Amino acid sequence: MRLSPAPPRLSRSPALLALALPLAAALAFSDETLDKVPKSEGYCSRILRAQGTRREGYTEFSLRVEGDPDFYKPGTSYRVTLSAAPPSYFRGFTLIALKENREGDKEEDHAGTFQIIDEEETQFMSNCPVAVTESTPRRRTRIQVFWVAPPAGTGCVILKASIVQKRIIYFQDEGSLTKKLCEQDSTFDGVTDKPILDCCACGTAKYRLTFYGNWSEKTHPKDYPRRANHWSAIIGGSHSKNYVLWEYGGYASEGVKQVAELGSPVKMEEEIRQQSDEVLTVIKAKAQWPAWQPLNVRAAPSAEFSVDRTRHLMSFLTMMGPSPDWNVGLSAEDLCTKECGWVQKVVQDLIPWDAGTDSGVTYESPNKPTIPQEKIRPLTSLDHPQSPFYDPEGGSITQVARVVIERIARKGEQCNIVPDNVDDIVADLAPEEKDEDGSTCTMSEWITWSPCSISCGMGMRSRERYVKQFPEDGSVCTLPTEETEKCTVNEECSPSSCLMTEWGEWDECSATCGMGMKKRHRMVKMSPADGSMCKAETSQAEKCMMPECHTIPCLLSPWSEWSDCSVTCGKGMRTRQRMLKSLAELGDCNEELEQVEKCMLPECPIDCELTEWSQWSECNKSCGKGHIIRTRMIQMEPQFGGAPCPETVQRKKCRIRKCLRNPSLQKLRWREARESRRSEQLREESEGEQFPGCRMRPWTAWSECTKLCGGGIQERYMTVKKRFKSSQFTSCKDKKEIRACNVHPC
């Protein structure tokens, strides 16, 4: 059922949360009392002033905030429960939120937002829209509402309760009907808000945990997995406050992860047993396939455990399967009371929580590890549109299970401050009982009742127990080890009904993985009284879903580390592997066992590249000693630390002939001019060979680098100075060179 939000006119600030009595049910005062209050004051303040008889220290009724926190987190929703211990009950109640130390006579005194969980039980008051009251006055033992904590920065919150029982009004300023919450410091965000006190109880107590799964297609129809729905084996323990199995805001251990993703309790049990000094009892119960069946078909799974003064907390979890990593459970449930006694009974509805190890959003999402791992958190109805719990209005998730923890025995000297009531005494009637002659037998607990002996009408069922310890005086134990009682399966049996045996056990599934078929049989014990043929079926067949063939066989080891890159520089490839851990006969595994990806190392060095040497030039002198040269050009500048460019010009000596001695000055100048013209002609012809049909200007200087680091480019240009008549346009044109620069990383 979706939550009904409170009227929007409420301000949100820390509040005194008061449960006051409703006028509709409070018979201890009349409207005349309220009429005496000045009309200028709000109706809600008149409710608070119109209190009836006060009963201090009364313990039949209690107000509880889920998780028993001492702090609240601004903006967070909290489930608030008002309950009466049987056989007590109450008829009416009212819930109001007030700022601390305020009277409630002004609108700004009110704070926080209430949300209705069950409209058949609770509603907003018409004359005081900030208050929640009962929908109809009747006997009840429990109501629940959500309260959204106010914004940060305004202090503590006090939850105060009053109720109406018959014509008596109970109100309390302190004790079990009062709860104080203070604003959680922001430095503790994400940590489970549940401070644990030291236990002062004496002796030990024994409890039975019973798990009632309520996750079915009827209660949670969206995408319900019909074939493989189940609860994994329950695993947990009773422990001290020094050990944490799991908690909201914490990270899942490897044991919790294996329960959450695989439904396997093995690693979790190993972790618990390693904490032997902190753990008193390991709690274990069988898995449930399918997730829900009527209780007359299959008994709810249960387990027994003990607690003592140092190990007075209880935690457990079970996986909701199939799911990515969703579970239900309790974390550090304290079974020690402030009055130095042991809690008699805990009843808690459970919603699923996310272990933070897989990012799937539907029941059967493929594996998608959450990296890095996230903190454990409760699921909400706004997590993802594809979620089976999605509600665009943000309503609460319907509970998927309920756990009941009942005290079944206490041992040793007890020191609780509050005297036992009748329920306490009855709850502790023992596994240890005395027979008439005074000799003592120690008996086991009764096992679960057998199925009814017939499938129609009234039959019998039985249960057994055994002797754990015989009397020390050697006498015979006279306590019964078996008891029977009548049971009725179907009260509407007709004369044409058959009396059938109980169904036999289901045969093994015809498949070892994936979908198969299974059968079960029964026989006719007694034909119909009217002589007709028995029409009841004697065999049943149904589909069975074993773990999917591509999931269980693919129990894989974690991925190995990535290999080294296949190259020492530049672009290459690297690989990683994982191994198949499951048995080959379970089926083929289609999951990849090796992955390959690209890898990039620093760029490889690029050496300088040059053209071939040109031909040697003519000697620069027509006589005497001179020199000739040859050149080569740079095609690629060195990059990323490559080898530098060697010389690009080489010279060597030349001598054509001896020069004449003492030539006339005029003849010498004439020769020099002729040699100069010839040298210029040779140079032009040389350039024409490198760049046919044209004469080029020299290369320009390199431009500035386009980047200061991380790899840029530089450019330089050579332009045409003169084209010869024989040149073609395509063979003689401007040239451009580019080189890398500033390749060092930024």
Side-chain angles (χ1 to χ4, degrees):
M1 184 175 293
R2 292 176 178 159
L3 303 178
S4 299
R9 70 183 189 85
L10 293 179
S11 60
R12 291 180 175 226
S13 58
L16 170 68
L17 188 61
L19 281 170
L21 69 159
L23 291 186
L27 304 179
F29 57 91
S30 65
D31 291 337
E32 294 180 1
T33 306
L34 300 181
D35 290 339
K36 296 178 181 178
V37 180
K39 295 295 183 181
S40 60
E41 295 187 12
Y43 183 83
C44 296
S45 66
R46 284 183 273 167
I47 293 177
L48 292 174
R49 294 188 184 192
Q51 300 294 349
T53 306
R54 300 194 177 210
R55 293 281 300 274
E56 304 296 340
Y58 204 77
T59 59
E60 280 186 318
F61 307 102
S62 64
L63 181 69
R64 184 173 187 250
V65 179
E66 183 177 16
D68 295 324
D70 286 342
F71 300 90
Y72 71 86
K73 186 176 181 181
T76 301
S77 294
Y78 293 90
R79 188 189 296 264
V80 180
T81 304
L82 177 63
S83 60
S88 299
Y89 63 90
F90 58 94
R91 292 181 178 275
F93 70 95
T94 301
L95 185 63
I96 291 184
L98 299 176
K99 294 180 182 178
E100 190 174 17
N101 299 324
R102 299 294 182 92
E103 296 296 328
D105 54 354
K106 298 178 182 178
E107 184 173 346
E108 57 266 26
D109 290 352
H110 301 277
T113 306
F114 291 106
Q115 293 179 329
I116 301 298
I117 296 177
D118 187 347
E119 294 179 353
E120 295 182 359
E121 287 285 339
T122 55
Q123 65 178 358
F124 293 107
M125 292 185 69
S126 58
N127 293 330
C128 180
V130 296
V132 178
T133 188
E134 76 283 351
S135 297
T136 55
R138 63 175 180 82
R139 288 191 178 193
R140 50 174 56 83
T141 59
R142 185 168 176 260
I143 65 97
Q144 289 186 333
V145 294
F146 277 116
W147 177 68
V148 180
T154 47
C156 295
V157 172
I158 299 175
L159 291 96
K160 183 186 298 184
S162 62
I163 55 92
V164 177
Q165 185 194 43
K166 298 182 180 179
R167 301 179 63 87
I168 304 171
I169 302 167
Y170 297 101
F171 177 84
Q172 194 159 342
D173 291 321
E174 296 179 356
S176 62
L177 290 177
T178 301
K179 181 72 176 175
K180 182 175 181 179
L181 302 177
C182 289
E183 184 179 336
Q184 177 178 295
D185 190 283
S186 60
T187 57
F188 295 102
D189 283 354
V191 179
T192 299
D193 180 14
K194 192 172 182 179
I196 299 168
L197 302 177
D198 290 333
C199 178
C200 59
C202 301
T204 63
K206 188 174 183 181
Y207 286 89
R208 179 183 293 114
L209 176 152
T210 307
F211 182 84
Y212 299 95
N214 191 41
W215 177 45
S216 65
E217 189 171 13
K218 181 178 180 180
T219 59
H220 299 81
K222 182 180 178 183
D223 300 331
Y224 187 76
R226 295 183 179 180
R227 296 181 298 174
N229 59 86
H230 68 282
W231 295 104
S232 73
I234 292 172
I235 183 68
S238 57
H239 57 92
S240 73
K241 65 181 180 180
N242 298 325
Y243 176 52
V244 177
L245 272 75
W246 70 272
E247 63 178 348
Y248 288 135
Y251 290 97
S253 66
E254 183 61 29
V256 172
K257 179 181 178 182
Q258 289 195 15
V259 173
E261 295 186 6
L262 306 176
S264 170
V266 177
K267 182 64 177 178
M268 186 77 254
E269 183 176 353
E270 179 184 326
E271 290 180 358
I272 295 172
R273 293 191 184 279
Q274 287 174 353
Q275 300 289 332
S276 56
D277 292 340
E278 308 297 338
V279 175
L280 183 60
T281 309
V282 177
I283 299 171
K284 298 165 63 176
K286 293 182 179 180
Q288 298 182 83
W289 290 78
W292 181 86
Q293 280 188 329
L295 292 178
N296 64 346
V297 175
R298 181 186 66 196
S302 63
E304 295 180 2
F305 64 94
S306 298
V307 291
D308 60 18
R309 175 177 288 190
T310 58
R311 294 160 293 190
H312 53 95
L313 307 176
M314 189 281 293
S315 302
F316 82 93
L317 69 156
T318 175
M319 179 196 75
M320 169 190 284
S323 71
D325 59 345
W326 300 341
N327 313 265
V328 298
L330 291 180
S331 175
E333 185 70 26
D334 195 349
L335 299 176
C336 181
T337 68
K338 295 179 181 179
E339 293 79 21
C340 303
W342 298 109
V343 173
Q344 182 181 327
K345 187 174 184 179
V346 175
V347 179
Q348 189 67 47
D349 292 332
L350 304 176
I351 62 171
W353 49 269
D354 189 305
T357 61
D358 192 290
S359 299
V361 296
T362 66
Y363 291 126
E364 299 181 277
S365 291
N367 291 338
K368 186 179 180 183
T370 302
I371 302 176
Q373 184 175 336
E374 295 179 353
K375 295 179 180 179
I376 295 173
R377 64 171 184 84
L379 295 178
T380 73
S381 60
L382 295 175
D383 284 340
H384 194 281
Q386 294 181 6
S387 167
F389 307 109
Y390 181 71
D391 179 358
E393 297 182 9
S396 63
I397 294 178
T398 302
Q399 55 98 359
V400 296
R402 172 176 288 182
V403 62
V404 178
I405 303 170
E406 289 185 280
R407 195 183 73 223
I408 56 177
R410 288 181 294 182
K411 293 183 180 180
E413 183 179 354
Q414 302 294 314
C415 55
N416 44 315
I417 299 169
V418 179
D420 290 344
N421 58 32
V422 174
D423 292 326
D424 283 333
I425 296 170
V426 171
D428 290 322
L429 286 179
E432 296 186 2
E433 301 180 25
K434 292 186 177 181
D435 56 22
E436 295 179 358
D437 61 5
S439 59
T440 302
C441 301
T442 302
M443 307 297 292
S444 70
E445 294 298 315
W446 290 103
I447 64 172
T448 306
W449 286 102
S450 67
C452 199
S453 60
I454 63 172
S455 59
C456 180
M458 181 174 292
M460 300 296 292
R461 64 176 185 172
S462 63
R463 63 177 183 175
E464 297 176 343
R465 62 179 178 177
Y466 61 89
V467 179
K468 293 176 66 176
Q469 182 177 338
F470 287 92
E472 295 179 359
D473 59 6
S475 60
V476 178
C477 184
T478 59
L479 295 175
T481 58
E482 182 179 5
E483 63 180 19
T484 59
E485 68 175 16
K486 294 180 180 179
C487 56
T488 301
V489 177
N490 183 3
E491 296 179 350
E492 299 178 358
C493 294
S494 65
S496 60
S497 299
C498 306
L499 184 59
M500 309 293 293
T501 63
E502 288 295 309
W503 285 106
E505 295 293 326
W506 286 103
D507 297 338
E508 291 186 3
C509 191
S510 60
T512 58
C513 65
M515 183 179 290
M517 296 296 294
K518 62 180 181 179
K519 295 182 179 180
R520 66 176 182 176
H521 307 275
R522 63 179 179 177
M523 296 184 297
V524 178
K525 291 177 66 177
M526 184 180 296
S527 299
D530 60 4
S532 60
M533 292 292 294
C534 182
K535 299 179 181 179
E537 59 182 0
T538 57
S539 64
Q540 283 185 340
E542 70 174 27
K543 295 177 181 178
C544 52
M545 184 66 186
M546 301 299 287
E548 294 187 12
C549 297
H550 68 276
T551 56
I552 279 197
C554 291
L555 289 178
L556 300 165
S557 68
W559 285 106
S560 66
E561 297 295 327
W562 286 104
S563 66
D564 293 334
C565 199
S566 60
V567 296
T568 57
C569 62
K571 295 180 180 179
M573 305 297 289
R574 64 177 186 172
T575 62
R576 66 175 183 175
Q577 294 84 27
R578 59 181 175 179
M579 297 179 62
L580 183 64
K581 296 169 65 176
S582 54
L583 300 176
E585 59 265 20
L586 292 178
D588 294 331
C589 179
N590 297 323
E591 297 291 334
E592 59 181 349
L593 301 179
E594 183 176 35
Q595 288 184 340
V596 181
E597 71 173 13
K598 296 178 181 179
C599 52
M600 182 70 184
L601 295 178
E603 293 284 355
C604 297
I606 299 176
D607 297 336
C608 178
E609 293 184 9
L610 301 123
T611 63
E612 296 295 323
W613 287 105
S614 67
Q615 298 294 324
W616 288 103
S617 69
E618 295 285 340
C619 190
N620 68 334
K621 295 291 181 69
S622 59
C623 66
K625 295 179 180 180
H627 65 267
I628 60 176
I629 64 171
R630 68 174 181 175
T631 61
R632 56 183 176 181
M633 298 183 63
I634 297 174
Q635 289 184 325
M636 176 72 71
E637 290 285 344
Q639 299 180 40
F640 311 112
C645 292
E647 61 181 353
T648 57
V649 178
Q650 285 185 343
R651 299 181 181 184
K652 68 180 180 178
K653 294 178 181 180
C654 62
R655 185 171 183 176
I656 299 177
R657 60 183 174 80
K658 290 183 179 181
C659 294
L660 300 175
R661 293 182 178 180
N662 298 322
S664 64
L665 182 62
Q666 184 177 1
K667 186 179 289 187
L668 180 62
R669 289 178 177 174
W670 177 79
R671 286 180 178 177
E672 288 177 351
R674 187 179 63 183
E675 293 293 337
S676 177
R677 287 195 300 273
R678 186 175 180 181
S679 176
E680 178 68 20
Q681 184 179 358
L682 290 173
R683 186 173 64 81
E684 289 180 357
E685 289 176 357
S686 175
E687 290 180 352
E689 290 176 359
Q690 295 181 18
F691 306 100
C694 57
R695 183 184 304 168
M696 306 296 290
R697 290 187 175 87
W699 284 102
T700 63
W702 286 102
S703 65
E704 291 187 5
C705 192
T706 56
K707 294 184 179 180
L708 297 176
C709 59
I713 59 171
Q714 289 178 298
E715 299 176 336
R716 68 174 182 176
Y717 301 90
M718 177 185 285
T719 58
V720 177
K721 183 177 181 181
K722 181 179 179 181
R723 287 188 174 87
F724 301 137
K725 293 182 179 180
S726 62
S727 67
Q728 297 179 1
F729 178 77
T730 58
S731 63
C732 187
K733 55 186 178 180
D734 296 344
K735 301 184 182 299
K736 175 182 176 182
E737 284 189 349
I738 298 175
R739 70 177 182 183
C741 57
N742 292 342
V743 295
H744 58 277
C746 296

